[in-house]
Amino acid sequence: MEELSPQGALLALCISRLPGRTLPRHAWAAEVLVEQLWACTAERAEGDGWLDVLVPLVGSRGVDARRIRAEVWALAQEGALVPVGVGAAARYEVAEDLRCTAICSTLTSEQDRVVDLAVDQLTARLLAFSKTASAC
């Protein structure tokens, strides 16, 4: 597996912390993750290093959905994410042999909290989505 881009490595790290180490292939799931990372990082003074990593994923009008989907697709092409399931059960799983890149191994405690917060926010939205979908 090739070295991941900083953006891809950050997304892979976050996905590896989601329940089941999986990301639903809903178009909005990865976008919510980046949105939460951006919001949490922009609030914190120590976030400056990550702003450089996140800027390519965030346009002038918010998250850049095309760029985020391209990063997720690149992760799948490189073997870091494995597509599993079809239809409503379609998701990406983190590959078992995913090697942690520099961004993953050099997290400060503040950055680790930002990742956890972003993952928690996405998990809450996915849970709410699944409850709404099952109620229909």
Side-chain angles (χ1 to χ4, degrees):
M1 188 180 313
E2 294 180 25
E3 184 73 16
L4 304 176
S5 71
Q7 294 80 18
L10 182 56
L11 286 172
L13 171 67
C14 292
I15 295 166
S16 73
R17 292 189 184 184
L18 286 167
R21 296 173 43 100
T22 64
L23 176 74
R25 281 194 269 174
H26 302 301
W28 54 267
E31 295 166 31
V32 168
L33 192 55
V34 170
E35 177 185 87
Q36 293 302 316
L37 285 169
W38 180 259
C40 295
T41 301
E43 290 176 0
R44 302 178 191 286
E46 195 178 313
D48 295 338
W50 268 13
L51 288 178
D52 294 339
V53 173
L54 290 169
V55 162
L57 300 175
V58 179
S60 60
R61 295 183 222 164
V63 295
D64 184 343
R66 286 184 182 175
R67 176 65 194 266
I68 294 167
R69 284 192 296 269
E71 281 294 335
V72 170
W73 179 250
L75 289 171
Q77 293 289 82
E78 293 169 6
L81 297 179
V82 179
V84 177
V86 295
R91 64 193 185 286
Y92 289 107
E93 288 183 351
V94 175
E96 290 294 324
D97 63 341
L98 178 64
R99 286 179 282 153
C100 202
T101 60
I103 197 168
C104 300
S105 60
T106 60
L107 289 180
T108 66
S109 61
E110 186 66 25
Q111 291 169 331
D112 195 52
R113 279 190 291 262
V114 167
V115 169
D116 285 343
L117 184 57
V119 167
D120 290 348
Q121 290 294 317
L122 177 57
T123 302
R125 288 193 189 184
L126 291 170
L127 182 60
F129 177 75
S130 69
K131 286 182 177 181
T132 303
S134 64
C136 294

